[in-house]
Amino acid sequence: MSAAYRASSARPRIGVLALQGDVREHVHALDAADADAVPIRRAAELDDIDGIIIPGGESTTMSRLLGVFDLFEPLQEALADGLPAYGSCAGMILLATTILDTRPDARHLDALDVTVRRNAFGRQVESFETDLEFAGITDIDDADPMRAVFIRAPWVESVSPDVEVLARVPSGPAAGRIVAVRQGDVLATSFHPEVTGDRRVHEYFVTMVRR
């Protein structure tokens, strides 16, 4: 991790894994959240960032491309060394220690002690939106609920005692399912805050990086 970022008033330099998925949307959200966003495609680029976002996309494709670009082991080591990370949708899957309903050859980064079920909410046509309460965001100063967009999303089946549950689906067939978690400096959501214009999750992550 970069040693350059120290002052809490500075803009942290946050990488966005740029192999596949909704990279541009996260870059724009980070810029609006007062961070400098940079695309990450090479292992050497990990040395100059203060945190990283693993975006939504297709998790098995992303795991394969991490190997193609010789990024898998360096990223796994950086996370183990304490690099703050945020994963949305496919990013949540890649960060998990255990993945259900995935391909046998899929690899994961083991940075978040949770069991995740891939495509848990169903196919693309079953994508949906809902309002969520998000601990640390919507419970401050009577803030509005967070509009969450789920697109072929995972959910978290179980968490270790070290993992904090931040949000659950409030109603419907999936009521109570865990869709946002944090363990130390690793954050993950099943949904896509980068597509809604609500920057609060990115601001939350930027604050994590600053601290």
Side-chain angles (χ1 to χ4, degrees):
M1 198 185 330
S2 169
Y5 179 69
R6 290 291 181 267
S8 61
S9 60
R11 286 171 64 97
R13 183 176 173 88
I14 298 179
V16 180
L17 187 66
L19 304 181
Q20 191 259 351
D22 47 353
V23 176
R24 181 180 300 177
E25 292 85 350
H26 278 292
V27 168
H28 290 164
L30 284 170
D31 183 66
D34 199 28
D36 292 329
V38 293
I40 300 296
R41 298 185 183 89
R42 305 293 178 191
E45 294 166 340
L46 296 172
D47 295 333
D48 196 32
I49 57 175
D50 305 300
I52 190 166
I53 288 180
I54 303 176
E58 210 293 313
S59 60
T60 54
T61 298
M62 291 172 71
S63 70
R64 179 179 61 82
L65 290 173
L66 281 167
V68 169
F69 282 80
D70 295 323
L71 252 175
F72 187 91
E73 285 80 9
L75 178 55
Q76 190 175 48
E77 291 172 6
L79 294 169
D81 287 342
L83 180 69
Y86 166 46
S88 65
C89 197
M92 169 186 271
I93 296 169
L94 285 169
L95 287 170
T97 54
T98 305
I99 306 170
L100 305 178
D101 296 335
T102 194
R103 286 171 35 171
D105 60 340
R107 297 198 293 173
H108 42 93
L109 295 163
D110 294 326
L112 191 58
D113 195 5
V114 299
T115 297
V116 171
R117 184 173 298 278
R118 186 171 172 267
N119 295 340
F121 291 97
R123 298 173 297 172
Q124 188 87 10
V125 295
E126 296 167 295
S127 300
F128 69 100
E129 299 182 23
T130 191
D131 289 333
L132 296 176
E133 298 298 329
F134 193 113
I137 296 178
T138 64
D139 55 353
I140 297 174
D141 297 329
D142 297 321
D144 291 334
M146 182 169 294
R147 192 67 179 171
V149 176
F150 295 85
I151 305 170
R152 293 183 63 198
W155 66 44
V156 177
E157 290 267 333
S158 62
V159 302
S160 81
D162 296 326
V163 176
E164 180 184 4
V165 175
L166 300 177
R168 297 176 182 266
V169 176
S171 60
R177 293 294 185 178
I178 300 168
V179 292
V181 292
R182 176 178 176 179
Q183 183 176 7
D185 291 326
V186 180
L187 173 71
T189 64
S190 300
F191 54 93
H192 293 265
E194 72 279 6
V195 304
T196 65
D198 187 336
R199 303 307 184 209
R200 288 180 290 174
V201 171
H202 290 81
E203 291 167 356
Y204 182 98
F205 179 59
V206 170
T207 299
M208 285 173 53
V209 174
R210 283 196 171 108
R211 291 176 176 169

